[in-house]
Amino acid sequence: MFRMRLHPRRALRIVLVVSMVLFVILNFQMIPDSSEEQRLRNHHMVAGGGLAVEDMHVQLGNSQRNARHGDDHKSDADFRVSLSRPVHPKIVIAAGSNQTQPASLQGPSLTLNTSNLEEIKQEIQRLNKEQYVHNLDKFGLALGSESIVMVIQAHNRADHLKLLISSLSKVRGIDNVLLVVSHDVYSHELNELIGSITFCPVLQIFFPHSQQIYHNRFPGEDPNDCPRDIKKDQAVLKQCNNAGHPDKYGHYRESKYCQTKHHWIWKLRFVFEEVRLLEGYEGHVLLLEDDYYVSEDILFSLQMMQNVRNKDCADCRMLVLGNYDKSQNYKVNGGKVERAYWISSKHNMGMAFTRNLWTEIKKCGKEFCDHDDYNWDWTLQHLSMKCVPNKIRLLKMKATRVFHIGECGMHTKSKNCDPAAKVRQVETQLTQNRQYLFPNTVAVDGDSRFKLRDPKANGGWGDNRDRNMCHSFFNKSIPPFLR
Ligand SMILES: *[C@@H]1O[C@H](CO)[C@@H](O)[C@H](O)[C@H]1NC(C)=O
Ligand SMILES: *[C@@H]1O[C@H](CO)[C@@H](O)[C@H](O)[C@H]1NC(C)=O
Ligand SMILES: *[C@@H]1O[C@H](CO)[C@@H](O)[C@H](O)[C@H]1NC(C)=O
């Protein structure tokens, strides 16, 4: 005979088990759903009457699917980091309405005669002024303090840019990003490539003082410029341009090396100060270059890093997603970050920061423009040591989320090695480490012990014309789209 007696102890055990089961169910089922509901509510609140509810459902449905697709090995931690739209966005443009921007606005002309530099100049002025955003109707925009705006500095390498874009298309949460592409070359090939992006809103801006337009005068190379290696007394005799202003090593300006620093600071200023959509934007801006390639958890990682920063490094003003370490151990370092002070050769790839740091850099604009180094990153390290209060402190991801595919490594002899081959290598590495991406936890793993110094200036930035033009970007007397 089997008789069951309910001992007090057994009753207690049953209550415990039941409440544990309930707890587990609540955690794994209810939280994502209720936060999804929360987001919906917020959308209704901020979007007001102008928004079709059906469209919102479609939009959120997509994000939800993106956030969950195919990752069986992921824990629920994924859902706690909001990869969806921000909770209290300051900047909101509803998707699906045809009022997002005037119908008369258009992206770059695909028929313009690109041999006619005057036409390009006019078109660039128009574009910088109008600030047409591709895909704005489709995605809308909601930007808050936890949002990310990506900015790509692009030159003329469409093949590289194409690979970067293909990596971006796979990034989880990319549909909530505003992508800004800053060009210093106007070409139909590049514009078509950007126009073909379908996964997020995209704004193209154009550096107006490009070598393409000014190919035979400053900031391009003027026929009367002094040759790099001419002696100063000979240069003065010859009366070539700015003979009195070689760099600290006695060399004269080489226009092809100056454009990148100009473009870099121009672009930052334009994004933070002139892009109307970003007025008052408080979130992060992530800087990329056209020959980078990114992992699909780059936004996820950046959002995890923001949480770590808030908890463990209140004075960190930059988050760095990439590094150049030869060996990457995702198993050990996938969820580890390191505290450090900014060093150009270590921290210049995949930098993210907010308006706060931009404001500090801007205050050092004179120092940036007058420092005799044509590299923006060495110049920034100089600012960190000599001008920005308390130096630029940062958190960096120990296992890189950004890859430089523009150079194929020291061991490769050939100069034109194949970027697609490099990407295949990176993809293999990422696939092998797939289970370590989207880490459940991200935590600080110590401080970099690297010695800091104010780097010796590399020169190449002695010419007054470069310094004056750089100053002019900050100068209020020039119309914003020309500055
Ligand atoms: C939106 O587009 C439709 C069709 O083109 C048009 O009928 C409608 O008036 C437009 N709405 C607004 C607010 O412009
Ligand atoms: C394009 O512009 C160049 C330079 O102004 C001019 O020589 C050429 O004829 C133009 N081509 C066309 C098709 O208009
Ligand atoms: C703006 O131009 C003036 C001269 O016109 C110059 O003295 C000043 O330094 C410039 N401002 C900045 C921020 O560079």
Side-chain angles (χ1 to χ4, degrees):
M1 280 294 279
F2 181 76
R3 264 178 65 209
M4 177 139 163
R5 280 181 54 199
L6 202 59
H7 289 291
R9 193 184 276 174
R10 181 175 285 169
L12 196 63
R13 203 179 291 156
I14 289 170
V15 167
L16 265 174
V17 166
V18 166
S19 53
M20 264 170 69
V21 167
L22 269 176
F23 178 81
V24 167
I25 289 173
L26 280 171
N27 264 292
F28 282 78
Q29 301 284 320
M30 301 309 286
I31 286 175
D33 287 341
S34 67
S35 66
E36 206 59 53
E37 233 171 68
Q38 183 67 31
R39 284 176 206 139
L40 260 176
R41 260 203 300 280
N42 284 318
H43 266 284
H44 282 299
M45 264 162 47
V46 291
L51 173 70
V53 176
E54 292 77 8
D55 292 330
M56 259 3 271
H57 273 293
V58 171
Q59 185 82 20
L60 288 166
N62 282 339
S63 320
Q64 194 173 12
R65 201 174 54 237
N66 287 347
R68 295 183 182 183
H69 82 112
D71 293 303
D72 311 327
H73 54 278
K74 300 299 170 230
S75 90
D76 61 326
D78 289 8
F79 306 128
R80 299 218 183 102
V81 173
S82 162
L83 278 173
S84 194
R85 305 224 151 180
V87 181
H88 301 294
K90 287 215 163 145
I91 300 157
V92 179
I93 292 172
S97 88
N98 49 2
Q99 289 179 303
T100 49
Q101 53 193 340
S104 59
L105 287 200
Q106 276 170 6
S109 156
L110 294 175
T111 53
L112 170 159
N113 177 357
T114 50
S115 308
N116 188 330
L117 300 177
E118 195 51 40
E119 271 191 49
I120 295 184
K121 204 169 144 186
Q122 301 294 330
E123 178 71 347
I124 284 176
Q125 278 187 37
R126 178 185 75 80
L127 291 163
N128 284 347
K129 206 167 158 181
E130 294 184 352
Q131 303 179 5
Y132 169 82
V133 179
H134 303 267
N135 302 331
L136 191 56
D137 283 5
K138 184 175 170 195
F139 293 98
L141 200 59
L143 297 174
S145 54
E146 52 301 26
S147 293
I148 293 151
V149 168
M150 286 189 180
V151 180
I152 302 173
Q153 181 163 334
H155 190 49
N156 60 358
R157 292 174 291 184
D159 53 344
H160 286 76
L161 185 57
K162 200 170 181 174
L163 293 165
L164 170 62
I165 291 172
S166 90
S167 74
L168 290 174
S169 74
K170 290 179 271 178
V171 169
R172 188 190 288 180
I174 190 74
D175 52 336
N176 293 323
V177 159
L178 173 66
L179 178 62
V180 180
V181 184
S182 184
H183 298 271
D184 56 31
V185 170
Y186 185 100
S187 86
H188 294 321
E189 189 186 13
L190 291 167
N191 290 334
E192 276 168 21
L193 182 56
I194 301 301
S196 71
I197 293 176
T198 55
F199 49 80
C200 70
V202 188
L203 168 66
Q204 289 179 270
I205 61 177
F206 291 84
F207 178 55
H209 313 272
S210 69
Q211 312 237 323
Q212 179 187 30
I213 297 172
Y214 299 89
H215 66 101
N216 58 1
R217 59 198 157 120
F218 180 84
E221 193 175 326
D222 189 293
N224 194 40
D225 279 352
C226 305
R228 175 184 186 268
D229 290 324
I230 196 172
K231 293 273 172 292
K232 189 170 173 182
D233 47 355
Q234 281 177 295
V236 170
L237 269 180
K238 214 178 146 193
Q239 293 187 308
C240 51
N241 292 331
N242 279 342
H245 302 283
D247 71 6
K248 61 181 292 195
Y249 301 104
H251 296 136
Y252 288 93
R253 169 177 205 271
E254 289 174 280
S255 68
K256 61 175 183 282
Y257 294 127
C258 294
Q259 176 160 280
T260 310
K261 177 170 169 178
H262 283 306
H263 185 178
W264 190 84
I265 195 73
W266 175 88
K267 157 199 86 181
L268 269 193
R269 212 203 66 87
F270 198 94
V271 166
F272 281 109
E273 316 260 321
E274 308 289 354
V275 173
R276 287 186 294 275
L277 266 180
L278 296 179
E279 213 178 308
Y281 173 63
E282 290 173 347
H284 278 77
V285 167
L286 169 61
L287 302 184
L288 299 173
E289 296 182 15
D290 55 3
D291 60 352
Y292 290 176
Y293 193 84
V294 303
S295 70
E296 62 189 278
D297 70 342
I298 185 169
L299 292 176
F300 177 92
S301 304
L302 187 45
Q303 272 171 328
M304 295 290 263
M305 282 178 102
Q306 291 184 50
N307 298 341
V308 178
R309 192 204 74 97
N310 296 341
K311 203 161 47 84
D312 291 327
C313 194
D315 62 338
C316 284
R317 285 183 284 192
M318 194 190 279
L319 304 172
V320 177
L321 277 301
N323 66 61
Y324 299 96
D325 297 350
K326 280 227 175 56
S327 71
Q328 300 282 345
N329 192 337
Y330 287 87
K331 183 174 181 180
V332 173
N333 293 325
K336 286 184 183 161
V337 297
E338 184 179 76
R339 273 186 300 249
Y341 287 94
W342 206 79
I343 294 173
S344 68
S345 58
K346 288 181 171 292
H347 305 131
N348 68 1
M349 184 163 67
M351 304 154 50
F353 52 88
T354 68
R355 189 176 292 280
N356 290 342
L357 180 56
W358 160 246
T359 305
E360 296 298 337
I361 294 173
K362 190 170 68 165
K363 284 186 203 151
C364 299
K366 186 178 159 20
E367 195 73 24
F368 186 92
C369 293
D370 293 344
H371 184 59
D372 190 359
D373 196 323
Y374 70 99
N375 302 285
W376 64 263
D377 49 357
W378 291 96
T379 307
L380 187 61
Q381 187 172 343
H382 169 72
L383 293 192
S384 174
M385 300 302 293
K386 286 289 145 74
C387 184
V388 174
N390 304 320
K391 304 202 223 12
I392 301 175
R393 199 173 191 207
L394 58 91
L395 284 176
K396 74 161 231 201
M397 217 65 195
K398 289 189 82 167
T400 191
R401 269 36 181 205
V402 185
F403 302 84
H404 187 208
I405 58 169
E407 43 125 12
C408 294
M410 298 303 184
H411 53 278
T412 313
K413 297 265 161 46
S414 159
K415 273 207 166 164
N416 359 304
C417 61
D418 179 9
K422 181 74 199 258
V423 163
R424 283 194 293 276
Q425 257 177 41
V426 170
E427 276 297 341
T428 306
Q429 190 180 9
L430 288 173
T431 308
Q432 279 164 0
N433 290 290
R434 206 174 148 68
Q435 72 263 43
Y436 309 117
L437 299 180
F438 299 98
N440 291 332
T441 57
V442 172
V444 174
D445 183 54
D447 294 78
S448 165
R449 303 236 177 108
F450 214 75
K451 276 226 180 70
L452 280 178
R453 61 190 175 93
D454 184 12
K456 206 164 153 222
N458 290 298
W461 199 264
D463 198 304
N464 282 343
R465 291 172 296 174
D466 283 312
R467 296 179 179 199
N468 291 341
M469 186 167 88
C470 179
H471 275 277
S472 78
F473 300 155
F474 295 92
N475 207 297
K476 292 272 190 290
S477 64
I478 300 173
F481 46 91
L482 288 180
R483 239 182 265 160

